[in-house]
Structure formats: structure tokens, C-alpha cells
Amino acid sequence: MAELHSRSGPELCAAELYELLRLRADIFVVEQTCPYQDLDGLDLLAHTVHLWLTEDRRVVSCVRVLPEHNGRRKIGRVVTAADHRGQGHAARLMQAALDLDPAMTWELHAQCVVQNFHRRFGFQTVGDEFDEDGISHILMVRTP
């Protein structure tokens, strides 16, 4: 079974941050052919939380939880390596993220093709689809 890890931004060591960023680039930039600025200045904030799974020391899935803002926390950068999909890794990380603050209202920008995945965790769509870096997204919110 994959090992779960959790660190706030400042707690990440350079090697951990490197592996998280590498997985995100492998999928979001290379696989999805979507050049975008992943380095947004939020990864190392004191209240940003990174959750990830490793198998044989390799990061195979990760998620980033941003600090509360305007009464909501935001989940983003949900990603699983291509050769580890279908094993429940993203679901495990989503639940771990929500468990950080069960009474909080949560939001995320979901790629439209994975809306049903997020609905499993109580997220509902809000508003219309929008383009984010050339990919159709939708705002989804989960209230306690």
C-alpha cells in the first residue's frame, strides 16, 4: 500500500518539493500538453499543506491544500502518475485533505472531465464552465 505523507509548505525539504513539482509537470504540462505557470508562489506558504503518496520512495500521487481565504479552503493540483491510476490514490488523498478541516467550506477548480470524481466527495458545480490554461474547468464547492 502506498505511504501517505503530509507537510506544510515550510516543512518540505528540497527533495520532496522537487518530486511533487516533477509529478505535476509530468502530468499537467507534458501529458496534457498544457504549458502553464505551476510555480505560483503558494507551495511554500506556512498554511499550505501538501499531501502525497509514495511507493518505493517514488511520489505517485499528490494534492495541495491552500489556506483558508474568504471562508473557504481550496484543493488543487490533484494528480496521479499515469502508471498508478485506477488504484484509488486520488480518492485517498482527497479524503485526507477534507479530513484536515471537516467543518470548512471547500472549493476547487475541477477539469470538467473529472467533475463526477469530485461529486463523490460532496462537491457541487457552481456557475459556468471556464477556460483555465486551455482546459475546460468548473468551480466546485463543498459545504459542511
Side-chain angles (χ1 to χ4, degrees):
M1 179 177 223
E3 184 179 353
L4 177 65
H5 305 267
S6 176
R7 304 249 195 294
S8 70
E11 294 173 331
L12 289 170
C13 72
E16 290 167 337
L17 180 60
Y18 178 87
E19 291 302 319
L20 296 173
L21 295 173
R22 180 169 65 172
L23 176 60
R24 287 170 18 188
D26 284 348
I27 305 308
F28 296 134
V29 177
V30 178
E31 180 183 306
Q32 295 181 353
T33 59
C34 179
Y36 79 108
Q37 184 55 270
D38 186 32
L39 301 177
D40 58 7
L42 302 176
D43 286 306
L44 298 177
L45 294 177
H47 296 291
T48 295
V49 176
H50 298 270
L51 301 164
W52 70 96
L53 297 172
T54 58
E55 287 188 5
D56 298 321
R57 296 187 188 170
R58 175 182 165 220
V59 174
V60 297
S61 191
C62 64
V63 63
R64 179 176 80 173
V65 178
L66 297 178
E68 183 270 328
H69 179 73
N70 293 331
R72 295 180 179 175
R73 289 192 78 176
K74 186 173 183 180
I75 295 175
R77 307 298 203 261
V78 182
V79 63
T80 300
D83 61 341
H84 281 78
R85 292 183 190 144
Q87 299 177 37
H89 293 326
R92 184 175 169 201
L93 289 174
M94 284 292 295
Q95 191 58 60
L98 295 169
D99 288 346
L100 292 172
D101 201 346
M104 179 59 64
T105 297
W106 292 86
E107 76 172 55
L108 52 83
H109 291 179
Q111 290 185 5
C112 289
V113 297
V114 294
Q115 289 178 67
N116 287 335
F117 169 77
H118 296 295
R119 282 191 183 103
R120 292 175 27 199
F121 299 95
F123 283 89
Q124 299 297 317
T125 58
V126 176
D128 297 322
E129 292 182 15
F130 57 92
D131 180 275
E132 189 170 300
D133 300 312
I135 297 174
S136 291
H137 283 73
I138 188 95
L139 174 63
M140 298 187 81
V141 174
R142 177 184 187 261
T143 55

